[in-house]
Amino acid sequence: MTEPKLLVATDGAVRLLTLNRPEMKNALDRELVLALGAALDSAATDPSVRAVVLTGAGDAFCSGADLKSAMGGGVGDLGERMDEYHRMIRAIARAPKPFIAAVSGVAVGFGADLALACDLRIFAEHAYLQERFVKLGLMPDGGGSHWLPRLVGLGRAMEFLMLGTRLDAARCEALGIANRVVASSELEGAALALARELAQGAPLALARIKQAVRASAADVDAALDREKAGQLELLVSKDLMEGVLAWAQRRDPVFTGE
């Protein structure tokens, strides 16, 4: 029996999504794109899921689009296909909960964009990220030109995008792309541990933090207005009362997202 191209598992309040085409470095064919888009939407809207880990089977995170598969479609289908890819990015960016990329190896092309779209990234020590679209005469099409400048600065982003620079795990950590780098054998455990910690946090506050950071720009006044609006909502939540009560009683809070 053939294994599914996407593995979905649940660990308490954590949803683990694993791209499962290891023989193809988890390249994205249409079947996997549609399955992952649906799974990301489901994880984003499922109230029982507090945090999501996205990773790849074998020694790769995702090597981008399966070019052989993609070349089978006609030119008239490109816009529709791109919308299917963008569905994945939008689901991650718009979800009111944290997404963690556990980068187990190559994260190239759209695979790099998937990792960059997540809120946090943990890299295995042998992993690397590369926006190599330019090597094919293309440009990033999964948000890479949006994510990278915000993580590494305009000058470095322009260099990495224009040269298709391969960034190893150590450099990704130094640049702030990778939040942590761990041994390959520890990657999934480290990602799940971080996801569990986030899943125990206050979901309304995490959602507002993510919303404010994602929407932030150079205008500090607008950023403060957004933080003010979000904080006013949180100040009347049951989670705030629980957090204050738990602090007073010196115990761990039990947040419900209300």
Side-chain angles (χ1 to χ4, degrees):
M1 183 177 178
T2 304
E3 280 198 343
K5 294 181 180 180
L6 179 70
L7 304 178
V8 180
T10 300
D11 181 321
V14 176
R15 180 69 49 82
L16 175 63
L17 304 176
T18 304
L19 307 180
N20 191 37
R21 300 185 74 207
E23 73 286 353
M24 298 295 294
K25 301 287 184 184
N26 300 315
L28 299 163
D29 64 1
R30 190 166 184 232
E31 181 183 344
L32 180 53
V33 167
L34 294 176
L36 182 56
L40 289 169
D41 282 339
S42 175
T45 58
D46 186 340
S48 71
V49 176
R50 297 279 194 91
V52 181
V53 174
L54 177 62
T55 193
D59 62 352
F61 176 71
C62 176
S63 58
D66 185 334
L67 295 181
K68 291 182 180 179
S69 173
M71 289 171 66
V75 174
D77 296 329
L78 289 178
E80 182 182 341
R81 297 291 87 79
M82 190 167 290
D83 287 343
E84 292 169 355
Y85 275 74
H86 285 179
R87 175 189 181 188
M88 299 183 287
I89 301 297
R90 290 191 174 103
I92 295 170
R94 294 173 178 174
K97 58 194 69 173
F99 276 65
I100 301 166
V103 183
S104 50
V106 301
V108 172
F110 202 91
D113 288 340
L114 276 175
L116 292 172
C118 291
D119 304 302
L120 300 170
R121 284 156 293 280
I122 299 181
F123 276 52
E125 55 193 357
H126 72 284
Y128 69 89
L129 183 141
Q130 186 176 22
E131 289 278 13
R132 69 182 312 274
F133 291 93
V134 71
K135 302 291 188 182
L136 301 174
L138 298 171
M139 66 172 288
D141 59 9
S145 62
H146 173 81
W147 314 120
L148 208 54
R150 285 157 176 76
L151 287 166
V152 305
L154 182 61
R156 282 183 172 135
M158 200 72 79
E159 175 188 350
F160 300 157
L161 294 172
M162 287 185 166
L163 297 179
T165 309
R166 173 171 166 161
L167 305 171
D168 63 28
R171 193 172 186 192
C172 283
E173 185 175 33
L175 289 166
I177 295 172
N179 297 90
R180 302 173 189 175
V181 175
V182 300
S184 301
S185 60
E186 299 173 2
L187 178 65
E188 184 173 312
L192 286 173
L194 178 57
R196 292 185 194 112
E197 182 177 353
L198 289 166
Q200 292 174 357
L204 295 180
L206 291 176
R208 292 305 178 201
I209 290 168
K210 179 170 177 176
Q211 181 185 54
V213 172
R214 291 280 187 175
S216 66
D219 186 348
V220 66
D221 290 326
L224 291 173
D225 286 342
R226 284 188 292 270
E227 291 178 356
K228 178 181 178 180
Q231 192 75 318
L232 287 173
E233 289 187 33
L234 297 173
L235 285 171
V236 297
S237 69
K238 292 181 180 178
D239 274 352
L240 172 67
M241 293 186 287
E242 165 63 11
V244 172
L245 185 61
W247 172 79
Q249 297 176 346
R250 298 186 178 182
R251 61 172 175 80
D252 292 332
V254 180
F255 296 113
T256 62
E258 298 178 83

